[in-house]
């Protein structure tokens, strides 16, 4: 039996105030299922939402809250607690706790332990969507990120109040998966990965464009998974509404030609190129200088073919490992195989789009095809699929390195 992903890892779970605090109870259970030893520290506000007793029962360990509890300090002082922790996870992190941590405050037990510990810190924010979007919160998140803190989430969706948007606590199982990935092996350490993601937009006039339904989520998940596996990652993204995964260098582009130029600039510095972008095949031959007016007649637009970025990279003499995607609505694998050969790729990830999976969904299902083999990855979270895709790329690169020796 393989050991669980967080086997014997001593995790200090900091729970701060907010309605999502109840989900931290489930999180304790899942962390323990993953093998971790969990001690919980509550902020005063969190203790108003869930009682310390709940966490004590679930963690099997004493729960701490105040900095001034003499008997608790005598048993395990806050500095020992900071030393005990091999990882600190703050979930949920309220806007207030995020701000306190970003500014190095030590005004309660949790903040003090975070300051006194050298353990890697991961934070799963949860708050009202406007509090999350506020420039002050975003600046605090950036400060924490730049210090190497892993920011897990938040997720997008309905809130306790009748509104919906980013600010929800990531589901406990996804928090555990993210921690496991951070803690796990780093097979891509020292490797440089370039990812293209999202759609491209080809302008017709100053207000209209030709685009497509790619959300960029698969490419962003690949970028994040590559960082989690230890790679240095550069992400070239078309116009999408997605936050940059922690540790990823992101470059935003709009058109296929701008994406080609950005990719080509990075290619000499990269070991693996994964083309997950849905690049527009055509662009208007001319971009109208002013907004086109209705004329009462049919409008004929002349389109010019765009460069095929992934094929151009694959045709280079000195080139990285090249993986592409084939999003198809029918005969998925047949079309993918043809593309693998025509574009000269090392691997292609084929997926069906248009039936609830693929574009704009959290889940996907892929068939990886390479010269000499294939692997089906059943429907799963895009981040999980991204890890599996990178594992396959790692195995193929190792095999070809062996052949070259
Ligand atoms: O030909 P098709 O667009 O289906 O090929 C999909 C694959 O090729 C994807 O990996 C996509 O990123 C890449 N591609 C590209 N440049 C294009 C068109 C597609 O890199 N102009």
């Amino acid at each position: 039996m393989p050991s669980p992903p967080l086997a014997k890892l001593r995790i200090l779970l900091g729970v701060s105030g907010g309605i999502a605090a109840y989900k931290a109870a489930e999180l304790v259970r899942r962390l323990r299922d993953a093998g971790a030893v969990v001690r919980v520290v509550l902020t005063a506000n969190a203790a108003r939402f869930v009682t310390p007793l709940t966490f004590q029962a679930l963690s099997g360990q004493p729960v701490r809250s105040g900095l001034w509890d003499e008997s608790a300090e005598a048993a395990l002082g806050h500095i020992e607690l900071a030393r005990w922790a091999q990882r600190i996870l703050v979930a949920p992190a309220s806007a207030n706790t995020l701000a306190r941590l970003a500014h190095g405050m030590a005004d309660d037990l949790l903040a003090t332990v975070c300051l006194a510990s050298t353990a890697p810190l991961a934070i799963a924010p949860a708050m009202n969507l406007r509090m999350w979007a506020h420039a002050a919160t975003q600046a605090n998140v950036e400060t924490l990120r730049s210090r190497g803190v892993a920011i897990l989430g938040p997720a997008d969706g309905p809130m306790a109040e009748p509104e919906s948007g980013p600010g929800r606590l990531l589901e406990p199982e996804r928090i555990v998966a993210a921690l496991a990935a951070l803690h796990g092996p780093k097979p891509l350490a020292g490797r440089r990965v370039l990812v293209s993601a999202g759609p491209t937009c080809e302008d017709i006039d100053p207000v209209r464009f030709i685009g497509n339904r790619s959300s960029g989520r698969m490419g962003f998940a690949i970028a994040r998974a590559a960082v989690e596996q230890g790679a240095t990652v550069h992400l070239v993204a078309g116009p999408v509404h997605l936050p940059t995964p922690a540790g990823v260098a992101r470059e935003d582009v709009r058109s296929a030609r701008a994406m080609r130029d950005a990719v080509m600039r990075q290619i000499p510095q990269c070991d693996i190129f994964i083309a997950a972008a849905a690049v527009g095949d055509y662009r208007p031959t001319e971009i109208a200088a002013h907004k086109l007016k209705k004329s009462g007649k049919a409008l004929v637009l002349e389109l010019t073919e765009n460069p095929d970025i992934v094929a151009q990279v694959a045709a280079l003499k000195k080139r990285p490992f090249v993986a592409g995607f084939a999003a198809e609505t029918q005969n998925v694998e047949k079309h993918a195989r043809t593309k693998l050969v025509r574009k000269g790729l090392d691997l292609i990830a084929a997926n069906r789009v248009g039936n609830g999976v693929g574009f704009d969904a959290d889940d996907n299902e892929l068939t990886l095809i390479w010269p000499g083999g294939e692997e089906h990855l059943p429907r799963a979270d895009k981040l999980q699929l991204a890890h599996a895709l990178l594992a396959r790329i790692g195995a193929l690169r190792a095999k070809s390195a062996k052949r070259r020796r």
Side-chain angles (χ1 to χ4, degrees):
M1 273 279 281
S3 58
L6 302 175
K8 299 202 177 86
L9 194 67
R10 297 191 303 271
I11 299 180
L12 187 132
L13 173 64
V15 180
S16 61
I19 184 59
Y22 80 93
K23 287 195 190 164
E26 163 82 1
L27 181 57
V28 173
R29 207 177 57 75
R30 291 203 179 248
L31 288 168
R32 291 192 72 192
D33 287 349
V37 183
V38 184
R39 277 177 184 265
V40 179
V41 169
L42 299 176
T43 64
N45 288 334
R48 289 166 174 256
F49 284 93
V50 190
T51 68
L53 208 58
T54 307
F55 289 108
Q56 191 145 318
L58 287 168
S59 67
Q61 301 278 348
V63 170
R64 298 278 312 264
S65 182
L67 197 47
W68 308 110
D69 177 343
E70 277 174 36
S71 58
E73 276 292 306
L76 187 69
H78 61 276
I79 299 296
E80 278 105 321
L81 195 57
R83 263 199 227 117
W84 173 88
Q86 291 174 299
R87 295 282 185 284
I88 300 181
L89 167 65
V90 182
S94 63
N96 181 46
T97 291
L98 263 179
R100 292 188 300 128
L101 298 180
H103 293 277
M105 309 278 281
D107 55 347
D108 74 352
L109 181 65
L110 177 60
T112 306
V113 169
C114 286
L115 209 54
S117 176
T118 52
L121 177 60
I123 291 181
M127 64 197 73
N128 166 273
L129 64 118
R130 271 176 294 280
M131 290 170 85
W132 171 252
H134 197 285
T137 303
Q138 289 303 310
N140 290 333
V141 168
E142 265 326 299
T143 302
L144 290 164
R145 265 208 189 108
S146 68
R147 274 188 219 138
V149 174
I151 307 289
L152 314 178
D156 208 320
M159 316 230 103
E161 309 86 25
E163 46 188 0
S164 187
R168 271 167 66 94
L169 182 70
L170 213 55
E171 289 309 318
E173 60 175 298
R174 292 200 53 197
I175 295 179
V176 174
L179 275 191
L182 290 169
H183 179 58
K186 302 274 179 261
L188 291 177
R191 299 282 163 261
R192 293 158 305 176
V193 175
L194 174 65
V195 181
S196 72
T200 56
C201 287
E202 303 296 347
D203 291 332
I204 298 171
D205 66 19
V207 293
R208 304 180 181 97
F209 61 86
I210 301 173
N212 61 68
R213 293 180 56 176
S214 168
S215 66
R217 287 190 208 193
M218 191 65 229
F220 274 58
I222 293 169
R224 175 168 162 193
V227 167
E228 289 176 357
Q229 295 196 17
T232 304
V233 181
H234 191 97
L235 172 65
V236 177
V240 293
H241 301 281
L242 292 174
T244 310
V248 167
R250 170 174 174 180
E251 187 176 349
D252 286 326
V253 295
R254 187 167 166 79
S255 67
R257 284 186 297 174
M259 184 173 276
R260 192 259 325 264
D261 294 346
V263 163
M264 286 303 178
R265 270 195 302 274
Q266 292 300 322
I267 285 298
Q269 295 89 259
C270 86
D271 303 300
I272 298 168
F273 171 46
I274 303 175
V279 185
D281 288 331
Y282 291 92
R283 66 176 181 275
T285 306
E286 275 174 39
I287 304 174
H290 298 287
K291 188 178 167 192
L292 295 177
K293 295 279 172 245
K294 268 192 281 196
S295 67
K297 287 188 292 194
L299 172 71
V300 178
L301 270 183
E302 188 187 275
L303 302 178
T304 300
E305 207 169 316
N306 269 329
D308 191 316
I309 305 169
V310 81
Q312 283 189 5
V313 172
L316 294 171
K317 240 202 212 118
K318 204 170 163 304
R319 73 172 187 60
F321 184 99
V322 182
F325 272 77
E328 304 287 347
T329 53
Q330 55 181 352
N331 297 330
V332 179
E333 283 169 33
K334 185 165 159 266
H335 286 307
R337 279 181 198 287
T338 312
K339 261 177 215 174
L340 178 77
V341 176
R342 179 163 47 83
K343 300 193 185 213
L345 311 180
D346 297 308
L347 176 144
I348 196 153
N351 65 323
R352 187 178 295 282
V353 288
N355 60 346
V357 288
F359 285 168
D360 220 8
D362 278 326
D363 285 0
N364 205 353
E365 183 179 340
L366 297 176
T367 302
L368 309 182
I369 303 171
W370 60 92
E374 68 172 74
E375 177 184 10
H376 183 71
L377 304 177
R379 187 167 178 161
D381 181 61
K382 285 182 175 170
L383 186 62
Q384 262 171 285
L385 290 173
H387 275 291
L389 166 67
L390 290 169
R392 173 56 61 190
I393 291 175
L396 290 171
R397 289 183 78 237
K399 215 163 125 196
S400 67
K402 224 185 214 164
R403 266 205 311 272
R404 280 200 298 273
R405 252 184 253 140

